[in-house]
Amino acid sequence: MIGRLLLAAVWVLAAGATAAAERPAKDYFSLIDTPSREAAAAIGSYSRGCLAGAVELAQDGPHWQAMRLSRNRRWGHPLLISFVEELAAKAPGLGLSGVLVGDLSQPRGGPMSFGHTSHQIGLDVDFWFRQMPQERLSPEAREDYAFRTVLNEEKTDIDPDRLTDGFAGLLREAARDRRVARIFVHPVIKRALCAFEAPDGERAWLSKIRPWYGHDAHFHVRLNCPLSARACRGQRPPPAGDGCGAPLDYWFTPAPYTPDPDAKPKAELTLARLPERCRALLSAP
């Protein structure tokens, strides 16, 4: 483990500070498999930052199982670890056997070699839209256990056998948590949640449920920056209202995504574009 940390540090030294700063940051952060030994700190923004003093989520808990263990993305700020454990504990009361937890962050956060743009500061986590199996999955089984959509074949509506009231209730519980900034789901799922009848009739929680494509097999929870975390850059609160009706209609027009065939791919996120403290974190003990 330490060997990979040393390798990342050697790369920086060998290339020289200026040259190293222009290399893709994911080449460094994806190599490191241990957290730094310091107080926990979310540094930078969700899509341009890093994580000091990360804590690892246990691969098994009373009401959760972590998936795709080989990725080593079970790290987060202590605030996130507590949130995952507490939300999972609510699952049985909602009719779910438990939750399957996907990616959190890397041991020192930062950009990943594949799969996410955000998840960089230890405040993002993915939950699968599948209940935890009654039997514990082996580490090997967790690598290829099916990651499945909750939409119908035409992707025009939900499959009610998969997106159950239990999952709607879990999303409501997550959104009502003060620590949560946003929850990303597919627009079709957001539309279904707009029709969900919460037991108390309260709908303010829906404002945090934000439509975004690619979130039909999991939902992505993003926490607010911890209190007094000066190095963490959060987001503005979601717009007022429940986000249903006219604001949601936009997502069912051609407007959200009309790819430009001539558009150039975005430039890689380099070390130079990360907060200075993130570069120092690469060689921290």
Side-chain angles (χ1 to χ4, degrees), residues 214-235:
H215 295 80
D216 58 298
H218 73 286
F219 62 96
H220 173 175
V221 179
R222 172 170 294 165
L223 301 190
N224 290 303
C225 288
L227 294 175
S228 73
R230 296 181 180 179
C232 182
R233 295 179 57 192
Q235 292 181 280

Side-chain angles (χ1 to χ4, degrees), residues 47-58:
S47 299
R48 188 176 296 185
C50 57
L51 172 65
V55 176
E56 188 175 26
L57 177 72

Side-chain angles (χ1 to χ4, degrees), residues 249-270:
D249 291 343
Y250 166 80
W251 290 86
F252 295 91
T253 70
Y257 284 99
T258 307
D260 179 358
D262 299 320
K264 295 181 180 179
K266 290 184 178 180
E268 292 273 17
L269 181 59
T270 62

Side-chain angles (χ1 to χ4, degrees), residues 198-215:
D200 56 7
E202 190 262 323
R203 295 179 61 82
W205 59 277
L206 283 163
S207 66
K208 292 184 183 178
I209 307 291
R210 311 307 300 170
W212 198 256
Y213 291 122
H215 295 80

Side-chain angles (χ1 to χ4, degrees), residues 29 43-44 50 271-282:
F29 282 93
I43 304 163
C50 57
L271 287 180
R273 295 173 60 202
L274 289 177
E276 184 175 350
R277 189 174 171 187
C278 292
R279 299 195 290 275
L281 189 64
L282 286 173

